[in-house]
Tab-separated table of all heavy atoms in Angstrom:
chain	number	residue	atom	x	y	z
A	618	PRO	N	-48.039	-28.118	45.649
A	618	PRO	CA	-46.713	-28.382	45.034
A	618	PRO	C	-46.564	-27.727	43.673
A	618	PRO	O	-45.478	-27.275	43.310
A	618	PRO	CB	-46.680	-29.903	44.930
A	618	PRO	CG	-47.622	-30.381	45.980
A	618	PRO	CD	-48.739	-29.367	46.014
A	619	LEU	N	-47.649	-27.715	42.873
A	619	LEU	CA	-47.575	-27.098	41.545
A	619	LEU	C	-47.317	-25.608	41.658
A	619	LEU	O	-46.510	-25.032	40.897
A	619	LEU	CB	-48.875	-27.365	40.783
A	619	LEU	CG	-48.967	-26.763	39.374
A	619	LEU	CD1	-47.849	-27.326	38.495
A	619	LEU	CD2	-50.332	-27.064	38.755
A	620	VAL	N	-47.951	-24.946	42.593
A	620	VAL	CA	-47.754	-23.509	42.784
A	620	VAL	C	-46.319	-23.215	43.188
A	620	VAL	O	-45.666	-22.289	42.690
A	620	VAL	CB	-48.741	-22.964	43.835
A	620	VAL	CG1	-48.426	-21.501	44.166
A	620	VAL	CG2	-50.173	-23.123	43.350
A	621	VAL	N	-45.786	-24.036	44.094
A	621	VAL	CA	-44.409	-23.842	44.551
A	621	VAL	C	-43.440	-24.031	43.398
A	621	VAL	O	-42.474	-23.274	43.222
A	621	VAL	CB	-44.085	-24.818	45.694
A	621	VAL	CG1	-42.589	-24.760	46.048
A	621	VAL	CG2	-44.934	-24.494	46.908
A	622	LEU	N	-43.692	-25.068	42.530
A	622	LEU	CA	-42.803	-25.333	41.385
A	622	LEU	C	-42.806	-24.165	40.413
A	622	LEU	O	-41.750	-23.746	39.910
A	622	LEU	CB	-43.254	-26.618	40.681
A	622	LEU	CG	-42.463	-27.009	39.424
A	622	LEU	CD1	-40.998	-27.249	39.797
A	622	LEU	CD2	-43.063	-28.260	38.792
A	623	LEU	N	-43.997	-23.603	40.143
A	623	LEU	CA	-44.082	-22.463	39.231
A	623	LEU	C	-43.341	-21.249	39.777
A	623	LEU	O	-42.682	-20.509	39.029
A	623	LEU	CB	-45.549	-22.114	38.964
A	623	LEU	CG	-46.329	-23.149	38.134
A	623	LEU	CD1	-47.806	-22.757	38.055
A	623	LEU	CD2	-45.745	-23.273	36.739
A	624	CYS	N	-43.399	-21.019	41.041
A	624	CYS	CA	-42.692	-19.889	41.659
A	624	CYS	C	-41.183	-20.063	41.537
A	624	CYS	O	-40.450	-19.105	41.253
A	624	CYS	CB	-43.076	-19.764	43.140
A	624	CYS	SG	-44.803	-19.246	43.378
A	625	LEU	N	-40.736	-21.332	41.775
A	625	LEU	CA	-39.302	-21.580	41.670
A	625	LEU	C	-38.801	-21.394	40.244
A	625	LEU	O	-37.730	-20.832	40.014
A	625	LEU	CB	-38.983	-23.005	42.144
A	625	LEU	CG	-39.137	-23.255	43.644
A	625	LEU	CD1	-38.947	-24.730	43.965
A	625	LEU	CD2	-38.136	-22.411	44.431
A	626	LEU	N	-39.588	-21.868	39.257
A	626	LEU	CA	-39.199	-21.693	37.860
A	626	LEU	C	-39.127	-20.226	37.479
A	626	LEU	O	-38.244	-19.780	36.745
A	626	LEU	CB	-40.172	-22.428	36.934
A	626	LEU	CG	-40.098	-23.962	36.976
A	626	LEU	CD1	-41.205	-24.565	36.122
A	626	LEU	CD2	-38.744	-24.438	36.508
A	627	GLY	N	-40.067	-19.436	37.994
A	627	GLY	CA	-40.063	-18.000	37.708
A	627	GLY	C	-38.854	-17.318	38.311
A	627	GLY	O	-38.255	-16.416	37.719
A	628	ALA	N	-38.449	-17.761	39.482
A	628	ALA	CA	-37.301	-17.131	40.139
A	628	ALA	C	-35.999	-17.487	39.450
A	628	ALA	O	-35.049	-16.697	39.436
A	628	ALA	CB	-37.251	-17.577	41.601
A	629	CYS	N	-35.950	-18.674	38.812
A	629	CYS	CA	-34.713	-19.118	38.182
A	629	CYS	C	-34.604	-18.718	36.716
A	629	CYS	O	-33.597	-18.981	36.080
A	629	CYS	CB	-34.587	-20.642	38.269
A	629	CYS	SG	-34.456	-21.249	39.963
A	630	ALA	N	-35.675	-18.164	36.168
A	630	ALA	CA	-35.658	-17.788	34.756
A	630	ALA	C	-34.590	-16.730	34.513
A	630	ALA	O	-34.392	-15.835	35.336
A	630	ALA	CB	-37.029	-17.251	34.333
A	631	PRO	N	-33.861	-16.842	33.388
A	631	PRO	CA	-32.804	-15.855	33.111
A	631	PRO	C	-33.387	-14.477	32.859
A	631	PRO	O	-34.458	-14.330	32.267
A	631	PRO	CB	-32.128	-16.408	31.854
A	631	PRO	CG	-33.172	-17.268	31.205
A	631	PRO	CD	-33.975	-17.853	32.323
A	632	VAL	N	-32.637	-13.488	33.330
A	632	VAL	CA	-33.066	-12.112	33.130
A	632	VAL	C	-32.704	-11.690	31.714
A	632	VAL	O	-31.557	-11.846	31.284
A	632	VAL	CB	-32.391	-11.171	34.157
A	632	VAL	CG1	-32.827	-9.731	33.913
A	632	VAL	CG2	-32.733	-11.623	35.563
A	633	LYS	N	-33.661	-11.187	30.974
A	633	LYS	CA	-33.425	-10.762	29.602
A	633	LYS	C	-32.496	-9.552	29.598
A	633	LYS	O	-32.760	-8.552	30.256
A	633	LYS	CB	-34.748	-10.412	28.926
A	633	LYS	CG	-34.588	-10.075	27.452
A	633	LYS	CD	-35.951	-9.801	26.830
A	633	LYS	CE	-35.795	-9.468	25.353
A	633	LYS	NZ	-37.101	-9.186	24.716
A	634	PRO	N	-31.379	-9.645	28.867
A	634	PRO	CA	-30.440	-8.511	28.877
A	634	PRO	C	-31.048	-7.285	28.218
A	634	PRO	O	-31.788	-7.381	27.245
A	634	PRO	CB	-29.259	-9.047	28.060
A	634	PRO	CG	-29.842	-10.127	27.204
A	634	PRO	CD	-30.941	-10.742	28.000
Side-chain angles (χ1 to χ4, degrees):
L619 179 60
V620 173
V621 172
L622 178 61
L623 291 174
C624 292
L625 290 174
L626 290 174
C629 296
V632 179
K633 185 177 180 180

